[in-house]
Amino acid sequence: MSEVNAGLQLTAVHAPTPLYYVFGYLKVLTPAEVLHYTDHALRHSSGAYHLVSTHRTPPFDDVFGSAAARAA
């Protein structure tokens, strides 16, 4: 959770610099989306991790464009 809070503060201080979390299967979330998607999730009692629902998250290419489009 401290990572997400730091991301929100970084985004606020350095606006309009965007911050994204890219997962191994190339789904993309912003810190605000992580907070939104974990709000209803069960959290580990130690706070070591949060489960994030990514079934509605956009794929990398939808956010940043395809590799061919970025190369053009």
Side-chain angles (χ1 to χ4, degrees), residues 7-20 30-31:
L8 288 169
Q9 291 174 357
L10 176 82
T11 306
V13 171
H14 298 287
T17 303
L19 176 65
Y20 298 96
T30 66

Side-chain angles (χ1 to χ4, degrees), residues 1 4-5 8 21 29-41 43 50 52:
M1 198 62 195
V4 172
N5 287 331
L8 288 169
Y21 299 116
L29 286 173
T30 66
E33 290 171 328
V34 169
L35 281 179
H36 174 74
Y37 293 138
T38 59
D39 188 41
H40 64 281
R43 297 182 180 166
H50 294 279
V52 180

